[in-house]
Amino acid sequence: KLLWVRSAPGRPSSISASGVAADGVVSRWNSTLPERGSAINCLVCDSFHSRGVTSVVSMVVCTNEQGLFFMAIVSHKGWYTARKLPHFDVPHTLQFITFRLGDALPQSVLRELRKKTCRLPADQRARSQRENIEYWLDQGLGCCVLRCSEMAEVLRESLVFHHGRRYELVAWCIMPNHVHVVIEPTYSLPRIVQGWKSYSARWALMHGSKSGLTLPYGQFWMRGYWDRYIRDVRHYQAAVLYVHQNPVKAGLCKRAEDWRWSSAYKGA
């Protein structure tokens, strides 16, 4: 966590900050502030290493026409595990993200997948599980409330809302019961995903009955999300292609550009 920030009296030209983890001061940095009225200056600062966890802190410094400045400190978790899934939260790292509705995969299907995966060698389990989950998601199980154009539009709005600020939205696709997104985040990745989920779930709960929506029983979105950071150009191209081709693969349209709720759509 950032504990203090120091600068010269009056309109500062530089700034110093110190980061402190649980085991003491581990990082200090200095930077020249942007000129009067300039655009946002983003500084990705050093990592913190504490209790086996690596975190990354971003500091955003902004000035206005009067020369006043303010800062936003954003903490990134680096590598961490949540709900038995590994996550990589580092700014300016391209991420392929998938999240789904609460009833998209029934417990009966999940139990069968676990049994099937357990029979495989350890080095094949993760990939097999991912491929099987992708297959079952494309079967359109559950209420599939994202088929509703009103609901899909609300979710699309939430995806594009922070484009150019908290992240660069590279590719996206809203399927009937799950969502694929490729972004380059500058903000905390779990907070980004939580923002998408919270906004769309609140709208569904407030307007669902009026719009005649059938909502998932219990929780609207399944807790957590699946993410994989993009390793190279080939991986990037494959990820974007998968996102855009998912409706075609699931039999929802003949061409990627025909699917209304995708960045591949002609009118998007």
Side-chain angles (χ1 to χ4, degrees):
K1 301 221 181 247
L2 189 82
L3 290 196
W4 67 85
V5 177
R6 299 188 300 275
S7 62
R11 200 282 174 186
S13 60
S14 64
I15 195 165
S16 300
S18 297
V20 180
D23 49 0
V25 177
V26 293
S27 182
R28 290 189 177 89
W29 61 89
N30 296 278
S31 176
T32 301
L33 284 175
E35 295 298 324
R36 184 186 301 270
S38 67
I40 293 175
N41 180 28
C42 292
L43 307 169
V44 179
C45 305
D46 292 337
S47 300
F48 295 154
H49 302 274
S50 178
R51 299 179 183 178
V53 177
T54 300
S55 297
V56 179
V57 167
S58 297
M59 180 168 64
V60 181
V61 182
C62 310
T63 58
N64 58 18
E65 292 298 331
Q66 289 72 44
L68 302 176
F69 76 99
F70 64 91
M71 293 179 301
I73 308 300
V74 180
S75 177
H76 302 269
K77 294 183 178 181
W79 278 111
Y80 72 102
T81 301
R83 298 180 62 81
K84 298 183 180 180
L85 290 175
H87 299 285
F88 187 54
D89 178 25
V90 171
H92 301 291
T93 301
L94 284 164
Q95 298 275 6
F96 179 17
I97 302 163
T98 299
F99 55 102
R100 59 186 173 90
L101 293 175
D103 64 352
L105 289 177
Q107 286 300 315
S108 58
V109 171
L110 291 173
R111 282 194 294 269
E112 287 301 316
L113 290 182
R114 292 191 194 102
K115 290 179 183 178
K116 185 177 180 180
T117 302
C118 286
R119 302 190 192 103
L120 298 174
D123 60 341
Q124 298 178 21
R125 290 175 185 172
R127 181 171 182 175
S128 175
Q129 184 180 35
R130 185 173 68 251
E131 290 176 349
N132 282 307
I133 286 177
E134 290 170 356
Y135 168 80
W136 281 106
L137 285 176
D138 289 343
Q139 301 311 300
L141 303 179
C143 68
C144 292
V145 69
L146 301 181
R147 287 185 187 273
C148 172
S149 58
E150 284 185 280
M151 186 71 248
E153 176 59 23
V154 168
L155 184 53
R156 186 199 68 80
E157 290 174 357
S158 72
L159 294 178
V160 303
F161 185 76
H162 285 296
H163 170 57
R165 290 180 291 179
R166 294 186 176 183
Y167 49 82
E168 292 297 319
L169 184 59
V170 178
W172 58 273
C173 181
I174 300 172
M175 298 289 286
N177 62 1
H178 65 285
V179 183
H180 295 301
V181 186
V182 177
I183 62 170
E184 182 183 345
T186 55
Y187 193 69
S188 166
L189 185 58
R191 292 185 181 183
I192 290 171
V193 179
Q194 185 57 40
W196 294 337
K197 289 182 172 182
S198 297
Y199 178 79
S200 53
R202 281 197 302 269
W203 186 92
L205 294 174
M206 291 176 62
H207 303 279
S209 58
K210 183 174 65 175
S211 301
L213 302 181
T214 301
L215 303 182
Y217 178 77
Q219 57 189 6
F220 188 83
W221 292 109
M222 186 65 188
R223 291 180 61 187
Y225 60 93
W226 181 85
D227 65 283
R228 193 176 189 188
Y229 74 90
I230 304 299
R231 290 156 173 78
D232 51 37
V233 173
R234 189 175 179 180
H235 187 193
Y236 166 80
Q237 293 171 340
V240 172
L241 181 65
Y242 182 91
V243 170
H244 288 161
Q245 288 295 321
N246 197 194
V248 179
K249 177 185 170 189
L252 299 174
C253 60
K254 292 184 178 180
R255 301 180 305 165
E257 54 266 32
D258 295 335
W259 185 245
R260 174 67 182 85
W261 308 109
S262 164
S263 51
Y265 181 60
K266 288 286 189 179

